[in-house]
Amino acid sequence: MSDLIQILPDSVANQIAAGEVVQRPASVVKELVENAIDAGAGSIKINLKDAGKTLIQVIDNGCGMSLTDARLAFERHATSKIRKAGDLFGIRSMGFRGEALASIAAIANVELKTKRTEDELGTHIVIDGSELVSQEASACSNGSNFIVKNLFFNVPARRKFLKANSTELRNIITEFHRIVLSHPDIAFTLIHNGTEVYNLPASHIRQRIINVFGKSMNARLISIKTDTSIVKLTGFIGKPKNAKKNTGEQFFFVNKRFMRHPYFYKAVIQAYDKILPPETIPPYFIFFEVDPKIIDINIHPTKTEIKFEDERAIYQIIQASIREALGKFNIVPSIDFDEDTSLEIPVVDENTEVEAPMIKVNPEFNPFDAESNFNPFEAEKSYNPFEQSASSIESNPFFQEFKAKTPEPGSSRAAKKQVPEDWEKLYEEKVLPEEEKPEKQPVIDRENIPDYFQAPEIPTPQQAQIQAAEQPNKTKNFFQLKNKYILTPIRSGLMIIDQRKAHERILFEKFMNSLENQKGIAQQNLFPQTIEMNASDYTLLQVILEDVKALGFDIREFGKKTFVINGTPADIQNCDPKELLENLLANYKSNQLDVKLKVRENLAKSLAKASAVNYGKSLTNEEMSSIIDQLFACNLPNFTPDGKPVISVLETQELENRFK
């Protein structure tokens, strides 16, 4: 039997490695831009077509490469960042494995034009699927110019599963944000299909954050700075009132490298404990500077998972830094222990004499005496009601007046008030003579009375209960529990309805109907609102703009990355248009994880979730009745668009069992 184990060709090995390193166009952008940063570039330009599927071009003004280096750069494990295994414990460069260019060249058509400053001519290399097509001298500018075309042209399965252009572009913008925020000293330009998306000059970190996320971010930032022997912590955190329900403005960087760290994320959230609006996440941009020897970045090919030597200590430093910053800027209430706010309480011992409180009254003042010219304030004197004698009480004018009006027992006035002796005769039946008796009333035949004259029958208690259960909801009684649940009695027991989930189902079916018929009704705003978006949200809204208008939004573009909202859907009441649109986009992006969800269904689901009535709102009986009527008119009243239950029934038998 022949041997079975063989060594794979380099082209096949590169394609296998490409599956880990290059997952989508955003991965190519990340690797090429990080190489440009390691080359010492001061300006980097990124040019895209069709969200990177057709073209990805990265131009930098770095150190460039020689003829030999340009060719070796596309070989596996070829790198200039490390020389020996010990260098892995002191990595400060962005890349070090030497797999990125080899993986990219294995699944795309790649061109490289590069030139060093000291060379007269540069190098032009063309590689298709790991195969070298040409290599020649060329006149080009200093630095490097990578051109990647037809990504995954030889891996059709991977290309087939790429998302829509809008989704892939947002992934590229996400990676772009992570790089530009950690390197504010480098100028970046991002162009997509000939349109400039970002043009970021070199600046300091705060200005870079404002340039990326908009001018409104400036007023939301609070600086943090902590220097310890373990880690140096700098950056910015957001104010609690500006926290959002979606992620996207949360960044950790260690030695200028973006990282994900759930443990440190928990430290940030706990530092905001009890001052955040419900279900919101604050923005933060936190930079760690640590000794490379105490971290390990060689865990995952994307190099975003990093292990620290003492994570617990850094966790406590993060919490303390954020709480200090929030307290310094008066974001959280503080107690001033230096201020003397204590009350003066006298010290009392057994020998201390305590005087009874004295009440100043005038016993000679009669408020019912209209003819009296007596001024009560001129005749005040100290009066202790507990020391009054009987003679002083009898001399009181109130007591004299009361005594004059009250008859003494046995007097003539008292006799008049006595009960008469023959009082029983008042209740005896008086018999009238025959001539004074009234005539008899005619007997009415009730069986032959017309229907419109007959009075309605009064049902028995059991019949009334049955009729009440069969009557429409408008005649029922509704109760609201904790401003969250609607309770109403039914035949089998007690029905409990979640008010927010019920409203979500109602609005979802209304919005789906509007999208199908393209007849969304817009309620015009008194004052149009202008909303400035980041590039990711701006790109997304451009893609779904027509469907958003079909829902009832009156919205149009107004300059670069700006939209004007003139009206909102008529089914939504008392909502801030700007906040509503932001929540719509946030929910839409989070729902995109469900690949089975169509664009229009996602849009209707997102808007229903963004505009449904919130918990904590008190509803009137009419509002609760309207919600229930509309809920049971829906096709699927029992579940939300997410599949969560809306209605729960507490049966009578279960209630009886509880009392047994």
Side-chain angles (χ1 to χ4, degrees):
M1 184 176 179
S2 60
D3 297 331
L4 301 178
I5 297 177
Q6 301 178 21
I7 298 177
L8 292 174
D10 288 342
S11 58
V12 177
N14 288 342
Q15 285 194 15
I16 295 172
E20 293 183 353
V21 179
V22 182
Q23 301 172 354
R24 52 176 51 93
S27 305
V28 177
V29 173
K30 172 182 178 294
E31 298 295 343
L32 294 181
V33 173
E34 286 183 349
N35 283 342
I37 293 172
D38 288 338
S43 175
I44 300 174
K45 182 179 180 180
I46 305 167
N47 189 15
L48 307 171
K49 281 188 179 179
D50 301 328
K53 297 177 183 177
T54 304
L55 172 68
I56 299 174
Q57 184 180 18
V58 177
I59 305 172
D60 68 73
N61 60 352
C63 62
M65 288 181 281
S66 65
L67 177 63
T68 305
D69 289 344
R71 179 64 189 90
L72 287 176
F74 291 96
E75 297 296 329
R76 291 193 69 193
H77 308 302
T79 179
S80 62
K81 316 298 171 56
I82 60 175
R83 291 286 185 270
K84 55 184 184 298
D87 294 340
L88 290 172
F89 301 101
I91 294 175
R92 288 192 177 273
S93 59
M94 302 300 292
F96 57 90
R97 285 200 179 107
E99 292 181 331
L101 291 180
S103 299
I104 294 171
I107 43 84
N109 308 126
V110 181
E111 289 185 38
L112 169 61
K113 295 179 181 180
T114 181
K115 176 181 173 294
R116 296 185 300 182
T117 306
E118 61 269 20
D119 295 336
E120 293 182 0
L121 291 176
T123 305
H124 182 201
I125 293 179
V126 179
I127 298 177
D128 289 344
S130 295
E131 295 183 4
L132 180 64
V133 176
S134 65
Q135 178 177 345
E136 58 186 5
S138 173
C140 56
S141 58
N142 297 333
S144 299
N145 182 356
F146 281 92
I147 301 174
V148 180
K149 300 178 182 177
N150 303 322
L151 193 65
F152 297 119
F153 79 98
N154 54 355
V155 190
R158 179 64 65 89
R159 187 175 181 88
K160 178 182 178 181
F161 285 100
L162 290 177
K163 305 296 183 183
N165 287 352
S166 59
T167 305
E168 295 298 342
L169 180 59
R170 286 203 314 277
N171 290 328
I172 292 174
I173 291 174
T174 299
E175 292 291 347
F176 182 78
H177 287 171
R178 296 171 179 176
I179 295 172
V180 301
L181 290 174
S182 59
H183 297 86
D185 55 328
I186 302 176
F188 289 90
T189 304
L190 177 62
I191 299 173
H192 180 246
N193 291 342
T195 303
E196 187 178 87
V197 181
Y198 281 108
N199 188 353
L200 306 174
S203 61
H204 53 82
I205 181 59
R206 189 185 189 105
Q207 186 62 47
R208 177 57 59 87
I209 294 173
I210 295 170
N211 291 339
V212 172
F213 294 102
K215 296 179 182 178
S216 61
M217 181 61 72
N218 187 30
R220 306 176 184 177
L221 298 179
I222 302 172
S223 63
I224 60 172
K225 187 175 182 180
T226 302
D227 195 354
T228 66
S229 59
I230 301 175
V231 61
K232 182 180 179 181
L233 208 64
T234 57
F236 298 90
I237 58 174
K239 296 180 180 178
K241 65 179 182 180
N242 300 123
K244 297 182 179 179
K245 294 186 177 181
N246 62 304
T247 59
E249 298 173 357
Q250 294 77 32
F251 296 91
F252 285 126
F253 301 97
V254 55
N255 295 345
K256 294 188 175 183
R257 181 190 301 277
F258 172 80
M259 71 168 179
R260 292 189 181 94
H261 209 294
Y263 187 59
F264 293 167
Y265 169 80
K266 183 179 179 181
V268 174
I269 298 302
Q270 286 192 352
Y272 280 88
D273 190 26
K274 297 181 180 179
I275 60 175
L276 279 178
E279 301 179 359
T280 57
I281 305 171
Y284 56 82
F285 309 87
I286 302 177
F287 298 82
F288 300 84
E289 290 185 24
V290 299
D291 186 349
K293 295 180 180 179
I294 68 170
I295 60 174
D296 184 7
I297 61 178
N298 190 24
I299 296 176
H300 193 270
T302 59
K303 299 185 282 289
T304 57
E305 297 181 13
I306 298 177
K307 294 293 184 181
F308 287 76
E309 195 174 88
D310 193 353
E311 293 184 346
R312 182 173 297 181
I314 298 177
Y315 179 98
Q316 296 173 352
I317 293 171
I318 294 172
Q319 273 198 341
S321 300
I322 294 177
R323 287 175 177 171
E324 180 186 8
L326 293 174
K328 185 182 299 182
F329 288 89
N330 295 325
I331 303 300
V332 294
S334 59
I335 301 174
D336 188 359
F337 292 98
D338 296 330
E339 183 180 354
D340 186 11
T341 57
S342 59
L343 299 175
E344 293 185 2
I345 303 176
V347 180
V348 180
D349 55 15
E350 297 179 355
N351 300 324
T352 304
E353 296 182 1
V354 179
E355 297 181 358
M358 303 299 293
I359 304 174
K360 294 182 179 181
V361 297
N362 182 14
E364 299 180 1
F365 174 64
N366 183 5
F368 301 100
D369 188 1
E371 298 179 357
S372 175
N373 295 324
F374 176 75
N375 188 352
F377 298 102
E378 295 179 355
E380 282 189 353
K381 68 177 182 179
S382 297
Y383 170 68
N384 189 345
F386 302 100
E387 297 179 358
Q388 256 188 325
S389 60
S391 59
S392 62
I393 294 176
E394 291 179 358
S395 63
N396 192 301
F398 294 103
F399 179 79
Q400 295 293 336
E401 184 179 357
F402 174 77
K403 185 176 180 181
K405 293 180 179 180
T406 305
E408 297 180 0
S411 63
S412 58
R413 291 176 60 194
K416 292 181 180 180
K417 299 290 183 178
Q418 293 179 357
V419 180
E421 297 180 358
D422 54 349
W423 61 271
E424 295 90 347
K425 294 183 179 180
L426 295 172
Y427 296 91
E428 291 181 359
E429 183 179 1
K430 185 176 181 182
V431 181
L432 297 176
E434 289 293 334
E435 59 272 10
E436 296 182 8
K437 289 183 179 180
E439 297 181 359
K440 293 184 179 180
Q441 298 293 331
V443 180
I444 299 176
D445 186 3
R446 298 185 178 274
E447 296 181 358
N448 298 324
I449 297 178
D451 294 338
Y452 51 82
F453 281 121
Q454 290 193 10
E457 293 185 4
I458 300 176
T460 63
Q462 294 181 351
Q463 292 175 344
Q465 187 176 2
I466 295 173
Q467 290 178 5
E470 295 175 350
Q471 285 176 351
N473 293 331
K474 293 181 180 179
T475 61
K476 289 185 177 180
N477 292 323
F478 303 102
F479 305 94
Q480 193 178 17
L481 178 63
K482 293 186 177 295
N483 290 339
K484 186 175 181 180
Y485 302 104
I486 300 174
L487 279 62
T488 181
I490 57 175
R491 289 183 179 181
S492 58
L494 184 67
M495 179 182 290
I496 306 171
I497 300 173
D498 189 303
Q499 67 184 38
R500 177 173 174 80
K501 292 179 181 179
H503 202 207
E504 276 186 36
R505 165 52 64 178
I506 295 167
L507 293 176
F508 173 74
E509 297 203 2
K510 284 185 178 180
F511 294 145
M512 285 298 296
N513 186 44
S514 298
L515 288 171
E516 291 173 1
N517 300 326
Q518 297 290 319
K519 293 182 179 179
I521 302 174
Q523 175 69 39
Q524 295 298 314
N525 298 329
L526 184 60
F527 300 104
Q529 288 197 15
T530 303
I531 177 173
E532 183 181 356
M533 301 181 171
N534 57 48
S536 178
D537 290 344
Y538 177 78
T539 305
L540 173 60
L541 187 54
Q542 281 183 318
V543 175
I544 62 175
L545 186 59
E546 294 303 319
D547 288 332
V548 169
K549 290 180 178 179
L551 287 171
F553 278 95
D554 184 358
I555 185 172
R556 60 184 176 86
E557 287 192 58
F558 186 72
K560 186 178 180 181
K561 301 179 190 174
T562 306
F563 283 89
V564 175
I565 307 173
N566 295 314
T568 53
D571 293 321
I572 302 172
Q573 303 293 333
N574 301 325
C575 282
D576 181 22
K578 182 178 178 181
E579 183 179 354
L580 179 64
L581 188 61
E582 289 178 348
N583 291 337
L584 166 63
L585 296 176
N587 291 326
Y588 185 89
K589 287 187 287 187
S590 62
N591 293 337
Q592 282 186 325
L593 298 175
D594 187 357
V595 296
K596 298 180 181 179
L597 203 60
K598 298 180 180 178
V599 174
R600 289 192 168 184
E601 185 179 352
N602 185 359
L603 198 58
K605 177 181 174 182
S606 303
L607 185 56
K609 185 174 292 186
S611 55
V613 60
N614 288 322
Y615 295 127
K617 181 180 179 182
S618 178
L619 302 177
T620 63
N621 201 57
E622 291 77 10
E623 289 173 333
M624 290 187 284
S625 177
S626 175
I627 287 178
I628 293 179
D629 290 344
Q630 295 179 71
L631 176 64
F632 286 101
C634 295
N635 296 327
L636 293 172
N638 292 335
F639 299 96
T640 65
D642 292 330
K644 298 177 181 178
V646 176
I647 301 171
S648 179
V649 176
L650 186 61
E651 297 184 356
T652 307
Q653 185 63 38
E654 183 178 351
L655 286 172
E656 292 178 354
N657 292 338
R658 287 175 179 266
F659 285 102
K660 289 180 181 179

Short mmCIF file of all heavy atoms in Angstrom, two decimals, residues 581-620:
data_model
loop_
_atom_site.label_atom_id
_atom_site.label_comp_id
_atom_site.label_asym_id
_atom_site.label_seq_id
_atom_site.Cartn_x
_atom_site.Cartn_y
_atom_site.Cartn_z
N LEU A 581 -35.57 57.84 14.46
CA LEU A 581 -34.79 57.37 13.32
C LEU A 581 -33.51 56.69 13.78
O LEU A 581 -33.10 55.66 13.22
CB LEU A 581 -34.47 58.54 12.39
CG LEU A 581 -33.84 58.18 11.05
CD1 LEU A 581 -34.77 57.30 10.24
CD2 LEU A 581 -33.49 59.43 10.26
N GLU A 582 -32.86 57.21 14.81
CA GLU A 582 -31.65 56.58 15.33
C GLU A 582 -31.95 55.20 15.90
O GLU A 582 -31.19 54.24 15.67
CB GLU A 582 -31.01 57.47 16.41
CG GLU A 582 -30.37 58.73 15.86
CD GLU A 582 -29.80 59.61 16.95
OE1 GLU A 582 -30.12 59.35 18.14
OE2 GLU A 582 -29.05 60.57 16.64
N ASN A 583 -33.06 55.07 16.64
CA ASN A 583 -33.44 53.77 17.19
C ASN A 583 -33.82 52.80 16.08
O ASN A 583 -33.55 51.59 16.18
CB ASN A 583 -34.59 53.93 18.17
CG ASN A 583 -34.19 54.65 19.43
OD1 ASN A 583 -33.02 54.67 19.80
ND2 ASN A 583 -35.15 55.26 20.12
N LEU A 584 -34.45 53.32 15.02
CA LEU A 584 -34.81 52.48 13.88
C LEU A 584 -33.57 51.87 13.26
O LEU A 584 -33.51 50.66 13.00
CB LEU A 584 -35.58 53.31 12.85
CG LEU A 584 -35.75 52.69 11.45
CD1 LEU A 584 -36.56 51.42 11.54
CD2 LEU A 584 -36.42 53.67 10.49
N LEU A 585 -32.55 52.69 13.01
CA LEU A 585 -31.32 52.18 12.39
C LEU A 585 -30.58 51.23 13.33
O LEU A 585 -30.02 50.22 12.88
CB LEU A 585 -30.42 53.36 12.02
CG LEU A 585 -30.97 54.32 10.95
CD1 LEU A 585 -30.02 55.48 10.74
CD2 LEU A 585 -31.21 53.60 9.64
N ALA A 586 -30.59 51.54 14.63
CA ALA A 586 -29.91 50.66 15.59
C ALA A 586 -30.57 49.29 15.64
O ALA A 586 -29.89 48.26 15.61
CB ALA A 586 -29.93 51.31 16.97
N ASN A 587 -31.90 49.26 15.70
CA ASN A 587 -32.60 47.97 15.72
C ASN A 587 -32.44 47.23 14.40
O ASN A 587 -32.34 46.00 14.38
CB ASN A 587 -34.10 48.20 16.00
CG ASN A 587 -34.35 48.68 17.41
OD1 ASN A 587 -33.66 48.28 18.33
ND2 ASN A 587 -35.34 49.54 17.59
N TYR A 588 -32.40 47.98 13.29
CA TYR A 588 -32.24 47.35 11.98
C TYR A 588 -30.89 46.63 11.90
O TYR A 588 -30.81 45.50 11.41
CB TYR A 588 -32.34 48.41 10.89
CG TYR A 588 -32.32 47.85 9.48
CD1 TYR A 588 -33.49 47.47 8.85
CD2 TYR A 588 -31.11 47.70 8.78
CE1 TYR A 588 -33.47 46.95 7.56
CE2 TYR A 588 -31.09 47.18 7.51
CZ TYR A 588 -32.27 46.82 6.89
OH TYR A 588 -32.25 46.29 5.62
N LYS A 589 -29.84 47.27 12.39
CA LYS A 589 -28.51 46.66 12.34
C LYS A 589 -28.44 45.43 13.24
O LYS A 589 -27.81 44.43 12.89
CB LYS A 589 -27.45 47.68 12.74
CG LYS A 589 -27.20 48.74 11.67
CD LYS A 589 -26.04 49.64 12.02
CE LYS A 589 -26.38 50.59 13.13
NZ LYS A 589 -25.30 51.58 13.36
N SER A 590 -29.06 45.49 14.40
CA SER A 590 -29.02 44.34 15.30
C SER A 590 -29.84 43.18 14.75
O SER A 590 -29.51 42.02 14.97
CB SER A 590 -29.54 44.73 16.69
OG SER A 590 -30.89 45.15 16.61
N ASN A 591 -30.90 43.48 13.99
CA ASN A 591 -31.73 42.41 13.42
C ASN A 591 -31.09 41.77 12.20
O ASN A 591 -31.55 40.71 11.75
CB ASN A 591 -33.11 42.96 13.02
CG ASN A 591 -33.93 43.38 14.21
OD1 ASN A 591 -33.71 42.91 15.32
ND2 ASN A 591 -34.88 44.26 14.01
N GLN A 592 -30.05 42.38 11.64
CA GLN A 592 -29.42 41.82 10.45
C GLN A 592 -28.68 40.52 10.75
O GLN A 592 -28.29 39.82 9.82
CB GLN A 592 -28.46 42.83 9.84
CG GLN A 592 -29.17 43.91 9.03
CD GLN A 592 -28.19 44.81 8.31
OE1 GLN A 592 -27.12 45.09 8.82
NE2 GLN A 592 -28.55 45.25 7.14
N LEU A 593 -28.50 40.20 12.01
CA LEU A 593 -27.88 38.93 12.35
C LEU A 593 -28.76 37.76 11.95
O LEU A 593 -28.28 36.64 11.74
CB LEU A 593 -27.58 38.87 13.85
CG LEU A 593 -26.60 39.93 14.38
CD1 LEU A 593 -26.49 39.84 15.88
CD2 LEU A 593 -25.24 39.78 13.73
N ASP A 594 -30.07 38.00 11.81
CA ASP A 594 -31.01 36.96 11.39
C ASP A 594 -31.03 36.93 9.86
O ASP A 594 -31.61 37.81 9.22
CB ASP A 594 -32.41 37.26 11.94
CG ASP A 594 -33.40 36.13 11.68
OD1 ASP A 594 -33.00 35.15 11.02
OD2 ASP A 594 -34.56 36.23 12.11
N VAL A 595 -30.38 35.93 9.27
CA VAL A 595 -30.26 35.88 7.81
C VAL A 595 -31.59 35.59 7.14
O VAL A 595 -31.77 35.87 5.96
CB VAL A 595 -29.22 34.82 7.40
CG1 VAL A 595 -27.85 35.20 7.89
CG2 VAL A 595 -29.59 33.44 7.93
N LYS A 596 -32.55 35.02 7.88
CA LYS A 596 -33.85 34.70 7.30
C LYS A 596 -34.75 35.93 7.19
O LYS A 596 -35.77 35.90 6.53
CB LYS A 596 -34.55 33.63 8.15
CG LYS A 596 -33.80 32.31 8.22
CD LYS A 596 -34.55 31.30 9.08
CE LYS A 596 -33.80 29.99 9.17
NZ LYS A 596 -34.51 29.00 10.03
N LEU A 597 -34.37 37.00 7.85
CA LEU A 597 -35.21 38.19 7.89
C LEU A 597 -35.00 39.02 6.64
O LEU A 597 -33.88 39.39 6.30
CB LEU A 597 -34.87 39.02 9.14
CG LEU A 597 -35.93 39.98 9.67
CD1 LEU A 597 -37.17 39.22 10.06
CD2 LEU A 597 -35.40 40.75 10.85
N LYS A 598 -36.08 39.33 5.92
CA LYS A 598 -35.99 40.13 4.72
C LYS A 598 -35.86 41.61 5.09
O LYS A 598 -36.12 42.01 6.21
CB LYS A 598 -37.23 39.90 3.85
CG LYS A 598 -37.36 38.46 3.36
CD LYS A 598 -38.61 38.28 2.51
CE LYS A 598 -38.74 36.83 2.03
NZ LYS A 598 -39.97 36.63 1.23
N VAL A 599 -35.47 42.41 4.07
CA VAL A 599 -35.19 43.82 4.32
C VAL A 599 -36.43 44.54 4.83
O VAL A 599 -36.39 45.26 5.84
CB VAL A 599 -34.65 44.49 3.04
CG1 VAL A 599 -34.48 45.98 3.26
CG2 VAL A 599 -33.33 43.87 2.64
N ARG A 600 -37.56 44.36 4.16
CA ARG A 600 -38.77 45.08 4.54
C ARG A 600 -39.31 44.60 5.89
O ARG A 600 -39.78 45.39 6.70
CB ARG A 600 -39.84 44.93 3.46
CG ARG A 600 -39.51 45.70 2.19
CD ARG A 600 -40.69 45.77 1.26
NE ARG A 600 -40.47 46.73 0.19
CZ ARG A 600 -41.37 47.04 -0.72
NH1 ARG A 600 -42.56 46.46 -0.68
NH2 ARG A 600 -41.11 47.91 -1.66
N GLU A 601 -39.24 43.30 6.10
CA GLU A 601 -39.70 42.77 7.38
C GLU A 601 -38.81 43.27 8.51
O GLU A 601 -39.29 43.63 9.59
CB GLU A 601 -39.69 41.24 7.33
CG GLU A 601 -40.26 40.59 8.58
CD GLU A 601 -40.27 39.09 8.49
OE1 GLU A 601 -39.97 38.56 7.40
OE2 GLU A 601 -40.55 38.44 9.51
N ASN A 602 -37.52 43.35 8.26
CA ASN A 602 -36.59 43.89 9.24
C ASN A 602 -36.89 45.35 9.54
O ASN A 602 -36.86 45.79 10.69
CB ASN A 602 -35.16 43.74 8.70
CG ASN A 602 -34.11 44.16 9.73
OD1 ASN A 602 -34.43 44.57 10.84
ND2 ASN A 602 -32.85 44.09 9.34
N LEU A 603 -37.22 46.11 8.49
CA LEU A 603 -37.52 47.53 8.66
C LEU A 603 -38.78 47.73 9.49
O LEU A 603 -38.81 48.55 10.42
CB LEU A 603 -37.66 48.18 7.29
CG LEU A 603 -37.56 49.70 7.23
CD1 LEU A 603 -36.24 50.17 7.77
CD2 LEU A 603 -37.74 50.17 5.79
N ALA A 604 -39.83 46.98 9.18
CA ALA A 604 -41.08 47.09 9.94
C ALA A 604 -40.88 46.65 11.39
O ALA A 604 -41.40 47.27 12.32
CB ALA A 604 -42.17 46.25 9.28
N LYS A 605 -40.13 45.59 11.56
CA LYS A 605 -39.85 45.08 12.91
C LYS A 605 -39.05 46.10 13.72
O LYS A 605 -39.33 46.34 14.90
CB LYS A 605 -39.10 43.77 12.79
CG LYS A 605 -38.68 43.13 14.09
CD LYS A 605 -37.93 41.84 13.80
CE LYS A 605 -37.36 41.24 15.06
NZ LYS A 605 -36.59 40.00 14.78
N SER A 606 -38.06 46.72 13.09
CA SER A 606 -37.21 47.70 13.78
C SER A 606 -37.99 48.93 14.18
O SER A 606 -37.84 49.44 15.30
CB SER A 606 -36.04 48.08 12.88
OG SER A 606 -35.30 46.94 12.50
N LEU A 607 -38.83 49.44 13.27
CA LEU A 607 -39.61 50.64 13.59
C LEU A 607 -40.66 50.36 14.66
O LEU A 607 -40.92 51.20 15.52
CB LEU A 607 -40.27 51.18 12.32
CG LEU A 607 -41.02 52.51 12.47
CD1 LEU A 607 -40.12 53.59 13.04
CD2 LEU A 607 -41.62 52.95 11.15
N ALA A 608 -41.25 49.16 14.62
CA ALA A 608 -42.23 48.81 15.65
C ALA A 608 -41.58 48.76 17.02
O ALA A 608 -42.14 49.23 18.01
CB ALA A 608 -42.87 47.46 15.31
N LYS A 609 -40.37 48.21 17.09
CA LYS A 609 -39.67 48.13 18.37
C LYS A 609 -39.24 49.51 18.85
O LYS A 609 -39.26 49.80 20.05
CB LYS A 609 -38.46 47.22 18.22
CG LYS A 609 -37.71 46.96 19.50
CD LYS A 609 -36.60 45.94 19.31
CE LYS A 609 -37.15 44.57 19.00
NZ LYS A 609 -36.08 43.54 18.96
N ALA A 610 -38.88 50.40 17.89
CA ALA A 610 -38.41 51.73 18.27
C ALA A 610 -39.54 52.65 18.72
O ALA A 610 -39.31 53.58 19.50
CB ALA A 610 -37.67 52.37 17.09
N SER A 611 -40.76 52.41 18.24
CA SER A 611 -41.86 53.34 18.51
C SER A 611 -42.95 52.78 19.41
O SER A 611 -43.93 53.47 19.69
CB SER A 611 -42.48 53.79 17.19
OG SER A 611 -42.89 52.66 16.42
N ALA A 612 -42.83 51.54 19.87
CA ALA A 612 -43.86 50.96 20.73
C ALA A 612 -43.91 51.69 22.08
O ALA A 612 -42.92 52.27 22.53
CB ALA A 612 -43.60 49.47 20.95
N VAL A 613 -45.07 51.64 22.72
CA VAL A 613 -45.25 52.32 24.00
C VAL A 613 -44.30 51.70 25.03
O VAL A 613 -44.12 50.48 25.08
CB VAL A 613 -46.72 52.20 24.47
CG1 VAL A 613 -47.13 50.75 24.64
CG2 VAL A 613 -46.94 52.98 25.75
N ASN A 614 -43.68 52.54 25.82
CA ASN A 614 -42.68 52.07 26.78
C ASN A 614 -43.34 51.58 28.06
O ASN A 614 -44.47 51.94 28.38
CB ASN A 614 -41.69 53.19 27.11
CG ASN A 614 -40.74 53.48 25.97
OD1 ASN A 614 -40.30 52.57 25.27
ND2 ASN A 614 -40.44 54.75 25.76
N TYR A 615 -42.59 50.76 28.78
CA TYR A 615 -43.01 50.37 30.12
C TYR A 615 -42.95 51.60 31.03
O TYR A 615 -42.13 52.48 30.84
CB TYR A 615 -42.12 49.27 30.68
CG TYR A 615 -42.20 47.97 29.93
CD1 TYR A 615 -41.05 47.34 29.45
CD2 TYR A 615 -43.42 47.36 29.69
CE1 TYR A 615 -41.11 46.14 28.76
CE2 TYR A 615 -43.50 46.16 29.00
CZ TYR A 615 -42.34 45.55 28.54
OH TYR A 615 -42.43 44.37 27.85
N GLY A 616 -43.84 51.64 32.00
CA GLY A 616 -43.86 52.76 32.92
C GLY A 616 -44.87 53.83 32.54
O GLY A 616 -45.08 54.77 33.31
N LYS A 617 -45.48 53.71 31.37
CA LYS A 617 -46.47 54.71 30.96
C LYS A 617 -47.84 54.29 31.45
O LYS A 617 -48.30 53.17 31.23
CB LYS A 617 -46.49 54.87 29.45
CG LYS A 617 -47.48 55.92 28.98
CD LYS A 617 -47.49 56.06 27.47
CE LYS A 617 -48.52 57.11 27.06
NZ LYS A 617 -48.61 57.26 25.59
N SER A 618 -48.52 55.20 32.12
CA SER A 618 -49.87 54.94 32.62
C SER A 618 -50.87 55.08 31.48
O SER A 618 -50.86 56.09 30.76
CB SER A 618 -50.20 55.90 33.76
OG SER A 618 -51.51 55.68 34.23
N LEU A 619 -51.73 54.08 31.31
CA LEU A 619 -52.71 54.08 30.23
C LEU A 619 -54.12 54.27 30.80
O LEU A 619 -54.43 53.76 31.88
CB LEU A 619 -52.66 52.76 29.45
CG LEU A 619 -51.31 52.38 28.81
CD1 LEU A 619 -51.42 51.02 28.15
CD2 LEU A 619 -50.89 53.43 27.80
N THR A 620 -54.94 55.01 30.07
CA THR A 620 -56.34 55.16 30.45
C THR A 620 -57.11 53.91 30.06
O THR A 620 -56.62 53.07 29.30
CB THR A 620 -56.95 56.39 29.78
OG1 THR A 620 -56.93 56.20 28.34
CG2 THR A 620 -56.16 57.65 30.12
#
